[in-house]
Amino acid sequence: MDLATEVTPSEAGTILTVDLAAIVANWQTLRVVCGDAECAAVVKADAYGLGLGPVVKALYEAGCKTFFVAHAFEGRAARAIAPDAAIFVLNGMRPNTAPLYADFNLAPVLCSVPEIEDWGQYCAVTGRRTPEGGLLPAAFRLETGLNQLGLKPYDLEHGIHLSHLFDVTLVMTQLARAEHGEAIAKQIEKFEIMRMRLPKARASIANSGAIFLEANPLYDVVRPGYALYGGNPTPGRPNPMKPVVRLESQVIQVRILEPGERVGEDQGWAARGPRRISTISAGTADGIPQSLTKTKNGAGGAAIVQGKRCPYIGGVGMDLVAVDTSDSGYIERGDIVELIGPSITIDDFAAAAGVSGYEILTRLGQRCHRRYQKL
Amino acid sequence: MDLATEVTPSEAGTILTVDLAAIVANWQTLRVVCGDAECAAVVKADAYGLGLGPVVKALYEAGCKTFFVAHAFEGRAARAIAPDAAIFVLNGMRPNTAPLYADFNLAPVLCSVPEIEDWGQYCAVTGRRTPEGGLLPAAFRLETGLNQLGLKPYDLEHGIHLSHLFDVTLVMTQLARAEHGEAIAKQIEKFEIMRMRLPKARASIANSGAIFLEANPLYDVVRPGYALYGGNPTPGRPNPMKPVVRLESQVIQVRILEPGERVGEDQGWAARGPRRISTISAGTADGIPQSLTKTKNGAGGAAIVQGKRCPYIGGVGMDLVAVDTSDSGYIERGDIVELIGPSITIDDFAAAAGVSGYEILTRLGQRCHRRYQKL
């Protein structure tokens, strides 16, 4: 251990435990659900903050052959671990970045005519090939209703015109959230119509949530992200996925408050009777959102201390937050508390903070001691 | 450049520019404001996400002699750059971590009797000394009203009893936010009374905001954090600090919408007339909070595109967000947009998202290309 840089568990503000076996189990569960469709894995944003390297390694060894990332630099990190996997880069291909893709055999997900022109020109001029000698890969992203990225019907002539310069291995789109069933139905219809005009290629539209939609054809490749990491892809129904992360922190100080005493910089919480509160070593810089104690209805979040739910009180600081441990068992400095884990799922935590689970996940790794072990 | 791991500017989702000279200038401004008091620097949480190493180096070379961090591992990183600085570790000293402090001559900020006992016992048993041969340093944190960390009057006998085993170089407390003037006055009174019972030591109570309070004595050491990084320490009045950060992103795709067309996974925004929208390569995984487009009153945040304020629309995704660029000049793929900078301060950005500026700052460095240059 290099004392100068290592975050040791005993001093870490937060300890993030990531269960790689659970990620693999979730991938295998989804693979069964998806039947004949290939189950890929979305590992963008450092695998949702859990560590792209270890996550890609675990999934690759389990048989995952296709990965989706947002940026080319993420794709290069995945390539170092998965030498023969298909790696798709979702966030478009910027001007003058073609070599960053070609050097590592990354497939840009082309979403506009200028991108198709860039990639086609690069492939034609350089004559570069994949390690197997084929044309370089690419995907087409079709715009079907989100109006963010993708080709519209009037873009397709260009797409067809230039697509012989590279290998279009995938045609994809992204769906609206599950609750917008009507919009999704229209999206699928548009996708079908546009696909007919394109050269034959595998198709992909389903993310974690869409995999479980009754109406939703899975096509050839499904691309779960959030569900792999333990998030519930079926909101409102029991979570079919295994939990993947546990976030713990330590009690720094326990204090008895008299009625009327206040807590925090904003003095926003006052003890209504005698209370025992505990200050724990976690804050916004550890990925705990301020909104966790700011909910107008007073519900807010809670940590698990000695098996009891203890509400956050008094505002989340950069490094500290207090919880009301009046109803927990005996507690003292150094005790471990659960912020996310068996009793508080990632979905519970996110709901209490009023943000999406993936916003929470990607923030947890900022200043933690991260360890990979079974939960 | 190591292509496999480097985030090149041309492909980065966000580019974070940090002006180290501005941080130094802000420190010098604060030093003048603080007169005879020593101006320290708070560099916890990777120097508010801007890079502890470069920030400490710049301030140390400018003459800063005292640094505050939250955790011992942050202190060790600072020690590698500032060999003879005083480094205080704010988040308490956990059980069995004393060697982590002693090995790098870090001063734990002791906030409870068990911590005083641990540190005193460690110093007595090992007989360890500073490089100069003195007793190991420590600070006492006094609880005066926030009820998070610190010694109460009834703890002081223990503090005095054991404090000959180490060198109490600082006595400190933390104040409520500037708007709680009455609470702050009581805090200062409590601080004064408790100090009288302690051995003579330098005192510190002022953070960025408190430096500018009329009523607030600066004591011996002031410890600005947020203001060093360009945040306004005087909310509601002109910001006396220089801006320190600029956050930019790239346009991936520009699209014309017909009236009624919707944007985003949540389909939450619809064009009321013909609109030109631009999807940019930044999202929650780059530190852009979802709350930026979720404000109930519809105000929300805006990016600067071709000199025009363009509102965020349609929800912030993990990697993407759209802005309404109908009123900007000609715009195309690859164009740079300003998310934080000359026109949108860190305080503006935070206010639009409904969170504190320091929560924003610490999230910006997660997935950016970070560069250090003058703004």
Side-chain angles (χ1 to χ4, degrees):
Chain A
M1 186 183 74
D2 175 6
L3 247 190
T5 57
E6 185 88 3
V7 181
T8 63
S10 63
E11 61 173 340
T14 49
I15 296 178
L16 179 65
T17 305
V18 179
D19 186 344
L20 293 170
I23 294 176
V24 168
N26 286 338
W27 180 75
Q28 284 163 335
T29 296
L30 294 166
R31 195 164 58 159
V32 170
V33 172
C34 294
D36 291 336
E38 180 191 349
C39 190
V42 181
V43 294
K44 60 191 185 178
D46 198 30
Y48 285 52
L50 305 185
L52 184 141
V55 169
V56 169
K57 183 168 186 289
L59 289 170
Y60 182 69
E61 287 174 355
C64 184
K65 295 280 180 231
T66 300
F67 295 91
F68 288 85
V69 296
H71 297 278
F73 56 85
E74 295 171 345
R76 296 195 293 275
R79 176 59 74 215
I81 296 151
D84 62 350
I87 299 175
F88 292 94
V89 181
L90 291 163
N91 256 35
M93 200 186 70
R94 315 301 167 72
N96 310 313
T97 60
L100 298 173
Y101 293 78
D103 290 350
F104 292 80
N105 193 23
L106 307 176
V109 178
L110 305 171
C111 63
S112 68
V113 172
E115 291 187 4
I116 293 172
E117 287 171 348
D118 273 9
W119 190 237
Q121 188 172 26
Y122 179 83
C123 293
V125 168
T126 64
R128 294 189 66 163
R129 298 278 162 160
T130 66
E132 295 76 32
L135 291 169
L136 295 182
F140 278 170
R141 183 168 181 146
L142 308 183
E143 162 44 37
T144 58
L146 304 198
N147 283 308
Q148 287 179 333
L149 299 182
L151 300 159
K152 295 281 267 187
Y154 49 75
D155 297 319
L156 290 189
E157 296 312 320
H158 285 277
I160 296 161
H161 174 63
L162 294 168
S163 62
H164 67 283
L165 298 171
F166 44 83
D167 185 9
V168 181
T169 58
L170 195 72
V171 175
M172 58 163 284
T173 193
Q174 191 180 355
L175 298 179
R177 288 221 193 102
E179 60 267 35
H180 302 287
E182 206 173 317
I184 288 174
K186 278 188 197 157
Q187 287 192 272
I188 294 172
E189 194 182 311
K190 283 188 190 172
F191 185 71
E192 284 293 343
I193 291 170
M194 289 171 79
R195 260 189 96 195
M196 285 182 211
R197 296 173 57 193
L198 289 169
K200 197 170 162 55
R202 297 209 300 165
S204 173
I205 67 173
N207 61 10
S208 292
I211 289 170
F212 291 89
L213 290 178
E214 273 186 45
N216 178 36
L218 296 171
Y219 289 93
D220 305 300
V221 179
V222 295
R223 37 178 220 272
Y226 187 50
L228 289 177
Y229 308 109
N232 188 356
T234 63
R237 284 186 284 155
N239 188 354
M241 314 319 298
K242 279 191 168 185
V244 166
V245 299
R246 185 166 57 208
L247 185 72
E248 294 161 303
S249 187
Q250 276 200 23
V251 171
I252 306 178
Q253 192 165 26
V254 182
R255 186 183 298 293
I256 307 298
L257 295 193
E258 291 175 24
E261 285 199 276
R262 293 183 173 273
V263 173
E265 279 194 346
D266 65 359
Q267 300 282 292
W269 186 90
R272 272 183 265 179
R275 305 307 290 173
R276 179 181 57 183
I277 64 160
S278 301
T279 299
I280 63 176
S281 195
T284 60
D286 306 285
I288 315 299
Q290 291 177 324
S291 54
L292 214 45
T293 67
K294 266 193 182 168
T295 46
K296 284 283 186 294
N297 60 13
I304 303 294
V305 185
Q306 305 282 13
K308 288 276 184 190
R309 291 180 69 86
C310 299
Y312 292 104
I313 57 172
V316 183
M318 193 163 164
D319 315 288
L320 299 174
V321 65
V323 290
D324 182 348
T325 47
S326 304
D327 301 327
S328 76
Y330 178 74
I331 183 168
E332 62 182 348
R333 166 184 174 238
D335 279 358
I336 300 298
V337 304
E338 173 198 320
L339 308 184
I340 296 173
S343 306
I344 298 180
T345 68
I346 184 76
D347 292 295
D348 295 337
F349 188 89
V355 301
S356 70
Y358 62 78
E359 175 160 346
I360 297 296
L361 277 176
T362 54
R363 291 181 61 185
L364 297 183
Q366 285 189 263
R367 191 173 63 168
C368 62
H369 171 77
R370 188 159 64 187
R371 62 185 173 198
Y372 294 96
Q373 64 182 49
K374 266 200 156 332
L375 288 180
Chain B
M1 188 182 74
D2 176 6
L3 247 191
T5 57
E6 186 88 1
V7 182
T8 64
S10 64
E11 61 173 340
T14 50
I15 296 178
L16 179 65
T17 306
V18 179
D19 186 344
L20 294 170
I23 295 175
V24 168
N26 287 338
W27 179 75
Q28 284 163 335
T29 296
L30 293 167
R31 196 165 56 159
V32 170
V33 172
C34 295
D36 292 336
E38 181 190 349
C39 190
V42 181
V43 295
K44 60 192 186 178
D46 199 29
Y48 286 53
L50 305 184
L52 183 141
V55 169
V56 169
K57 183 167 186 292
L59 289 170
Y60 182 68
E61 287 174 355
C64 184
K65 296 280 181 232
T66 300
F67 296 91
F68 287 84
V69 296
H71 297 278
F73 55 86
E74 297 170 344
R76 296 195 293 274
R79 175 61 74 215
I81 297 151
D84 62 350
I87 300 175
F88 292 94
V89 181
L90 291 163
N91 257 36
M93 198 187 72
R94 314 305 164 71
N96 310 313
T97 60
L100 299 172
Y101 293 77
D103 289 350
F104 292 80
N105 193 22
L106 308 175
V109 177
L110 305 171
C111 64
S112 68
V113 171
E115 291 187 3
I116 293 172
E117 288 171 346
D118 273 8
W119 190 235
Q121 187 171 28
Y122 180 82
C123 293
V125 168
T126 64
R128 292 190 68 164
R129 299 278 161 161
T130 67
E132 294 77 31
L135 291 169
L136 295 182
F140 278 169
R141 183 167 181 148
L142 308 183
E143 161 47 36
T144 58
L146 304 196
N147 282 309
Q148 287 179 334
L149 299 182
L151 301 159
K152 295 282 266 189
Y154 50 75
D155 297 319
L156 289 189
E157 296 312 319
H158 285 277
I160 296 163
H161 172 63
L162 295 167
S163 62
H164 68 283
L165 297 171
F166 43 82
D167 184 9
V168 181
T169 58
L170 195 71
V171 174
M172 58 165 285
T173 194
Q174 192 181 353
L175 297 180
R177 289 220 193 102
E179 61 266 35
H180 302 287
E182 206 173 318
I184 289 175
K186 276 189 199 156
Q187 287 193 273
I188 294 173
E189 195 184 308
K190 282 187 190 172
F191 186 70
E192 284 293 343
I193 292 171
M194 289 171 80
R195 260 190 97 197
M196 285 183 213
R197 295 175 55 193
L198 288 169
K200 198 169 160 57
R202 298 209 299 165
S204 173
I205 67 173
N207 62 8
S208 292
I211 290 169
F212 292 89
L213 289 179
E214 274 186 43
N216 179 34
L218 296 170
Y219 289 93
D220 305 298
V221 180
V222 296
R223 38 178 220 271
Y226 187 50
L228 288 177
Y229 309 108
N232 188 356
T234 62
R237 286 186 283 156
N239 187 354
M241 314 321 297
K242 281 190 166 187
V244 166
V245 299
R246 185 166 58 209
L247 185 72
E248 293 162 303
S249 187
Q250 277 199 24
V251 170
I252 305 178
Q253 191 165 25
V254 183
R255 186 183 299 290
I256 307 297
L257 295 193
E258 292 175 23
E261 284 199 277
R262 293 184 174 271
V263 174
E265 280 194 343
D266 65 358
Q267 300 281 292
W269 185 90
R272 272 183 264 180
R275 305 306 290 172
R276 180 181 57 182
I277 63 160
S278 300
T279 299
I280 63 176
S281 194
T284 60
D286 306 287
I288 315 298
Q290 292 177 323
S291 53
L292 255 187
T293 68
K294 267 194 181 165
T295 46
K296 284 282 185 295
N297 61 13
I304 303 294
V305 185
Q306 305 282 11
K308 289 275 185 192
R309 290 180 70 87
C310 298
Y312 293 103
I313 57 174
V316 183
M318 193 163 164
D319 315 288
L320 300 173
V321 64
V323 290
D324 182 347
T325 48
S326 304
D327 301 326
S328 75
Y330 178 74
I331 182 165
E332 62 182 348
R333 165 185 175 239
D335 279 358
I336 300 296
V337 305
E338 174 198 319
L339 307 184
I340 297 172
S343 305
I344 297 180
T345 68
I346 183 75
D347 292 295
D348 295 339
F349 188 90
V355 300
S356 71
Y358 63 77
E359 174 159 348
I360 298 296
L361 277 176
T362 53
R363 290 181 59 184
L364 298 182
Q366 283 188 265
R367 192 173 61 168
C368 62
H369 171 77
R370 187 158 64 187
R371 63 186 174 199
Y372 294 96
Q373 64 182 49
K374 267 200 154 334
L375 288 181

Coordinates of all heavy atoms in Angstrom, one line a residue, chain A residues 180-230:
Chain A
H180 N -44.2 6.2 -21.5 CA -44.7 6.9 -22.7 C -45.0 5.8 -23.8 O -44.3 5.8 -24.8 CB -43.7 7.9 -23.2 CG -43.4 9.0 -22.2 ND1 -44.3 10.0 -21.9 CD2 -42.3 9.2 -21.4 CE1 -43.8 10.8 -20.9 NE2 -42.6 10.3 -20.6
G181 N -45.9 4.9 -23.5 CA -46.1 3.8 -24.3 C -46.5 4.2 -25.7 O -46.1 3.6 -26.7
E182 N -47.4 5.2 -25.9 CA -47.8 5.6 -27.2 C -46.7 6.2 -28.0 O -46.5 5.8 -29.2 CB -48.9 6.7 -27.0 CG -49.9 6.8 -28.1 CD -51.0 7.7 -27.8 OE1 -51.5 7.7 -26.6 OE2 -51.4 8.5 -28.7
A183 N -45.9 7.0 -27.4 CA -44.7 7.5 -28.1 C -43.8 6.4 -28.5 O -43.2 6.4 -29.6 CB -43.9 8.5 -27.2
I184 N -43.6 5.4 -27.7 CA -42.7 4.3 -28.0 C -43.2 3.5 -29.2 O -42.5 3.2 -30.1 CB -42.5 3.4 -26.8 CG1 -41.6 4.1 -25.7 CG2 -41.9 2.1 -27.2 CD1 -41.5 3.4 -24.4
A185 N -44.5 3.3 -29.2 CA -45.1 2.6 -30.4 C -44.8 3.3 -31.7 O -44.5 2.7 -32.7 CB -46.6 2.4 -30.1
K186 N -45.0 4.6 -31.6 CA -44.7 5.5 -32.8 C -43.2 5.4 -33.2 O -42.8 5.3 -34.4 CB -45.0 6.9 -32.6 CG -46.5 7.2 -32.8 CD -46.8 8.7 -32.8 CE -48.2 9.0 -32.5 NZ -48.5 10.3 -32.0
Q187 N -42.3 5.3 -32.2 CA -40.9 5.2 -32.4 C -40.6 3.9 -33.2 O -39.8 3.9 -34.1 CB -40.1 5.3 -31.1 CG -40.1 6.7 -30.5 CD -39.0 6.7 -29.4 OE1 -39.3 6.4 -28.2 NE2 -37.8 7.1 -29.7
I188 N -41.2 2.9 -32.7 CA -40.9 1.6 -33.3 C -41.3 1.5 -34.7 O -40.7 1.0 -35.6 CB -41.5 0.4 -32.5 CG1 -40.9 0.3 -31.1 CG2 -41.4 -0.9 -33.2 CD1 -41.5 -0.6 -30.1
E189 N -42.5 2.2 -35.0 CA -43.0 2.2 -36.4 C -42.1 3.0 -37.3 O -41.7 2.6 -38.4 CB -44.4 2.9 -36.3 CG -45.2 2.8 -37.6 CD -46.5 3.5 -37.4 OE1 -47.2 3.4 -36.4 OE2 -46.8 4.3 -38.4
K190 N -41.6 4.2 -36.8 CA -40.6 4.9 -37.6 C -39.3 4.2 -37.8 O -38.8 4.2 -38.9 CB -40.3 6.2 -36.8 CG -41.3 7.3 -36.9 CD -40.8 8.6 -36.3 CE -41.9 9.6 -36.1 NZ -41.4 10.8 -35.3
F191 N -38.9 3.5 -36.8 CA -37.7 2.7 -36.9 C -37.8 1.6 -38.0 O -36.9 1.5 -38.8 CB -37.4 2.0 -35.5 CG -36.1 1.3 -35.4 CD1 -34.9 2.0 -35.4 CD2 -36.0 -0.1 -35.3 CE1 -33.6 1.3 -35.3 CE2 -34.8 -0.8 -35.2 CZ -33.6 0.0 -35.2
E192 N -38.9 1.0 -38.0 CA -39.2 -0.1 -39.0 C -39.1 0.5 -40.4 O -38.5 -0.1 -41.3 CB -40.6 -0.7 -38.7 CG -40.6 -1.7 -37.6 CD -39.8 -2.9 -37.8 OE1 -39.4 -3.2 -39.0 OE2 -39.4 -3.6 -36.9
I193 N -39.8 1.6 -40.6 CA -39.9 2.2 -41.9 C -38.5 2.6 -42.4 O -38.1 2.4 -43.5 CB -40.8 3.4 -41.9 CG1 -42.3 2.9 -41.7 CG2 -40.7 4.2 -43.2 CD1 -43.3 4.0 -41.4
M194 N -37.7 3.2 -41.5 CA -36.4 3.7 -41.9 C -35.4 2.5 -42.1 O -34.6 2.6 -43.0 CB -35.8 4.6 -40.8 CG -36.5 6.0 -40.7 SD -36.0 7.0 -39.3 CE -34.4 7.6 -39.9
R195 N -35.6 1.5 -41.3 CA -34.7 0.3 -41.5 C -34.8 -0.3 -42.9 O -33.9 -0.8 -43.5 CB -35.1 -0.8 -40.5 CG -34.2 -0.9 -39.3 CD -34.5 -2.1 -38.5 NE -33.7 -3.2 -38.9 CZ -34.0 -4.5 -38.6 NH1 -35.1 -4.8 -38.0 NH2 -33.1 -5.4 -38.9
M196 N -36.1 -0.2 -43.4 CA -36.3 -0.8 -44.7 C -35.5 -0.2 -45.8 O -35.2 -0.8 -46.9 CB -37.8 -0.7 -45.1 CG -38.7 -1.6 -44.4 SD -40.4 -1.4 -44.9 CE -41.3 -1.8 -43.5
R197 N -35.2 1.1 -45.6 CA -34.4 1.8 -46.6 C -32.9 1.6 -46.5 O -32.2 2.2 -47.3 CB -34.8 3.3 -46.5 CG -36.3 3.6 -46.9 CD -36.7 5.0 -46.6 NE -35.8 5.9 -47.4 CZ -35.8 7.2 -47.2 NH1 -36.5 7.7 -46.2 NH2 -35.0 8.0 -47.9
L198 N -32.5 0.9 -45.4 CA -31.1 0.8 -45.2 C -30.6 -0.6 -45.5 O -31.4 -1.5 -45.6 CB -30.8 1.1 -43.7 CG -30.9 2.5 -43.2 CD1 -30.9 2.6 -41.7 CD2 -29.8 3.4 -43.8
P199 N -29.3 -0.7 -45.8 CA -28.7 -2.0 -46.0 C -29.0 -2.9 -44.8 O -29.1 -2.4 -43.6 CB -27.2 -1.8 -46.1 CG -27.0 -0.3 -46.4 CD -28.2 0.4 -45.8
K200 N -29.1 -4.2 -45.0 CA -29.4 -5.1 -43.9 C -28.3 -5.0 -42.8 O -27.1 -5.1 -43.1 CB -29.4 -6.5 -44.4 CG -30.1 -7.5 -43.5 CD -30.3 -8.9 -44.3 CE -30.6 -10.0 -43.3 NZ -31.7 -9.7 -42.4
A201 N -28.7 -4.8 -41.6 CA -27.8 -4.8 -40.4 C -28.6 -5.2 -39.2 O -29.8 -5.2 -39.1 CB -27.2 -3.4 -40.2
R202 N -27.8 -5.6 -38.2 CA -28.5 -5.9 -36.9 C -29.1 -4.7 -36.3 O -28.6 -3.6 -36.6 CB -27.5 -6.6 -35.9 CG -26.9 -7.9 -36.5 CD -26.5 -8.8 -35.4 NE -25.4 -8.2 -34.6 CZ -25.1 -8.7 -33.4 NH1 -25.7 -9.8 -32.9 NH2 -24.1 -8.2 -32.6
A203 N -30.1 -4.9 -35.5 CA -30.8 -3.7 -34.9 C -30.8 -3.7 -33.4 O -30.8 -4.8 -32.8 CB -32.3 -3.7 -35.5
S204 N -30.9 -2.6 -32.8 CA -30.9 -2.4 -31.4 C -31.7 -1.3 -30.9 O -31.5 -0.1 -31.4 CB -29.5 -2.3 -30.8 OG -29.5 -2.0 -29.5
I205 N -32.7 -1.5 -30.1 CA -33.5 -0.3 -29.5 C -33.7 -0.4 -28.0 O -34.0 0.6 -27.4 CB -34.9 -0.2 -30.2 CG1 -35.8 -1.3 -29.9 CG2 -34.7 0.0 -31.7 CD1 -37.2 -1.1 -30.4
A206 N -33.5 -1.6 -27.4 CA -33.9 -1.8 -26.0 C -32.8 -1.5 -25.0 O -31.7 -2.1 -25.1 CB -34.4 -3.2 -25.8
N207 N -33.0 -0.5 -24.1 CA -32.2 -0.3 -23.0 C -32.8 -1.1 -21.8 O -33.7 -1.9 -22.0 CB -32.0 1.2 -22.7 CG -33.4 1.8 -22.3 OD1 -34.4 1.1 -22.2 ND2 -33.4 3.1 -22.3
S208 N -32.3 -0.8 -20.6 CA -32.7 -1.6 -19.4 C -34.2 -1.6 -19.3 O -34.8 -2.7 -19.1 CB -32.1 -1.0 -18.1 OG -30.7 -1.2 -18.1
G209 N -34.8 -0.5 -19.3 CA -36.3 -0.4 -19.1 C -37.0 -1.0 -20.3 O -38.0 -1.8 -20.0
A210 N -36.6 -0.8 -21.5 CA -37.3 -1.3 -22.7 C -37.3 -2.8 -22.8 O -38.2 -3.4 -23.4 CB -36.8 -0.7 -23.9
I211 N -36.3 -3.5 -22.2 CA -36.2 -4.9 -22.2 C -37.5 -5.5 -21.6 O -38.0 -6.6 -22.1 CB -35.0 -5.4 -21.5 CG1 -33.7 -5.1 -22.3 CG2 -35.1 -6.9 -21.2 CD1 -32.4 -5.3 -21.5
F212 N -38.1 -4.8 -20.7 CA -39.2 -5.4 -19.9 C -40.6 -4.9 -20.4 O -41.6 -5.2 -19.8 CB -39.0 -5.1 -18.4 CG -37.9 -5.9 -17.8 CD1 -36.6 -5.4 -17.8 CD2 -38.1 -7.2 -17.3 CE1 -35.6 -6.1 -17.3 CE2 -37.1 -7.9 -16.8 CZ -35.8 -7.4 -16.8
L213 N -40.6 -4.1 -21.5 CA -41.8 -3.6 -22.0 C -42.5 -4.7 -22.8 O -41.8 -5.4 -23.7 CB -41.6 -2.4 -23.0 CG -41.1 -1.1 -22.4 CD1 -40.9 -0.1 -23.4 CD2 -42.2 -0.6 -21.4
E214 N -43.8 -4.9 -22.6 CA -44.5 -6.0 -23.3 C -44.5 -5.8 -24.8 O -44.2 -6.7 -25.6 CB -45.9 -6.1 -22.8 CG -46.0 -7.1 -21.6 CD -47.4 -7.3 -21.2 OE1 -48.2 -7.5 -22.1 OE2 -47.7 -7.2 -20.0
A215 N -44.7 -4.5 -25.2 CA -44.9 -4.2 -26.6 C -43.6 -4.2 -27.4 O -43.6 -4.1 -28.6 CB -45.6 -2.9 -26.7
N216 N -42.5 -4.3 -26.7 CA -41.2 -3.9 -27.3 C -40.4 -5.0 -27.9 O -39.9 -5.9 -27.2 CB -40.4 -3.2 -26.3 CG -39.0 -2.8 -26.9 OD1 -38.9 -2.4 -28.0 ND2 -38.0 -2.9 -26.0
P217 N -40.3 -5.0 -29.2 CA -39.5 -6.1 -29.9 C -38.0 -5.9 -29.4 O -37.5 -4.8 -29.4 CB -39.6 -5.8 -31.4 CG -40.6 -4.7 -31.5 CD -40.7 -4.0 -30.2
L218 N -37.4 -7.0 -29.1 CA -36.0 -6.9 -28.6 C -35.0 -6.7 -29.8 O -33.8 -6.4 -29.5 CB -35.7 -8.1 -27.8 CG -36.5 -8.2 -26.5 CD1 -36.3 -9.5 -25.8 CD2 -36.2 -7.0 -25.5
Y219 N -35.4 -7.1 -31.0 CA -34.5 -7.0 -32.1 C -33.2 -7.9 -31.9 O -33.3 -8.9 -31.2 CB -34.1 -5.6 -32.5 CG -35.3 -4.8 -33.1 CD1 -36.1 -4.1 -32.3 CD2 -35.5 -4.9 -34.5 CE1 -37.2 -3.4 -32.9 CE2 -36.6 -4.2 -35.1 CZ -37.4 -3.5 -34.3 OH -38.5 -2.8 -34.8
D220 N -32.1 -7.5 -32.4 CA -30.9 -8.3 -32.4 C -30.0 -8.1 -31.2 O -29.3 -9.1 -30.7 CB -30.1 -8.1 -33.7 CG -31.0 -8.3 -34.9 OD1 -31.5 -9.5 -35.0 OD2 -31.1 -7.4 -35.7
V221 N -29.9 -6.9 -30.7 CA -29.0 -6.6 -29.6 C -29.7 -5.7 -28.6 O -30.3 -4.7 -29.0 CB -27.7 -5.8 -30.2 CG1 -26.8 -5.4 -29.0 CG2 -27.0 -6.6 -31.3
V222 N -29.7 -6.1 -27.4 CA -30.2 -5.3 -26.3 C -29.0 -4.7 -25.5 O -27.9 -5.3 -25.5 CB -31.1 -6.1 -25.3 CG1 -32.4 -6.6 -26.1 CG2 -30.4 -7.3 -24.7
R223 N -29.2 -3.5 -25.0 CA -28.1 -2.8 -24.4 C -28.5 -2.3 -23.0 O -28.6 -1.1 -22.8 CB -27.6 -1.7 -25.3 CG -28.6 -1.0 -26.1 CD -28.0 0.2 -26.9 NE -28.8 1.3 -26.9 CZ -29.8 1.6 -27.7 NH1 -30.1 0.7 -28.7 NH2 -30.5 2.7 -27.6
P224 N -28.5 -3.2 -22.0 CA -28.8 -2.7 -20.7 C -27.6 -2.0 -20.0 O -26.5 -2.3 -20.3 CB -29.1 -4.0 -19.9 CG -28.3 -5.0 -20.7 CD -28.3 -4.6 -22.1
G225 N -28.0 -1.0 -19.2 CA -27.0 -0.3 -18.4 C -27.4 -0.3 -17.0 O -26.9 -1.1 -16.2
Y226 N -28.3 0.6 -16.6 CA -28.7 0.7 -15.2 C -29.1 -0.6 -14.6 O -28.7 -0.8 -13.4 CB -29.9 1.7 -15.2 CG -30.3 2.1 -13.8 CD1 -29.4 2.6 -12.9 CD2 -31.7 2.1 -13.4 CE1 -29.8 3.0 -11.6 CE2 -32.1 2.5 -12.2 CZ -31.1 2.9 -11.3 OH -31.6 3.3 -10.0
A227 N -29.8 -1.5 -15.3 CA -30.2 -2.8 -14.7 C -29.0 -3.6 -14.3 O -29.0 -4.4 -13.3 CB -31.1 -3.5 -15.6
L228 N -27.9 -3.6 -15.1 CA -26.7 -4.3 -14.8 C -26.2 -4.0 -13.4 O -25.6 -4.8 -12.7 CB -25.6 -4.1 -15.8 CG -25.8 -4.6 -17.2 CD1 -24.6 -4.1 -18.1 CD2 -25.8 -6.1 -17.2
Y229 N -26.3 -2.7 -13.1 CA -25.7 -2.2 -11.9 C -26.7 -2.2 -10.7 O -26.5 -1.6 -9.7 CB -25.2 -0.8 -12.1 CG -24.3 -0.8 -13.4 CD1 -24.7 -0.2 -14.6 CD2 -23.1 -1.5 -13.3 CE1 -23.8 -0.3 -15.7 CE2 -22.3 -1.5 -14.4 CZ -22.7 -0.9 -15.6 OH -21.8 -1.0 -16.7
G230 N -27.8 -3.0 -10.9 CA -28.7 -3.2 -9.8 C -29.9 -2.3 -9.8 O -30.8 -2.5 -8.9

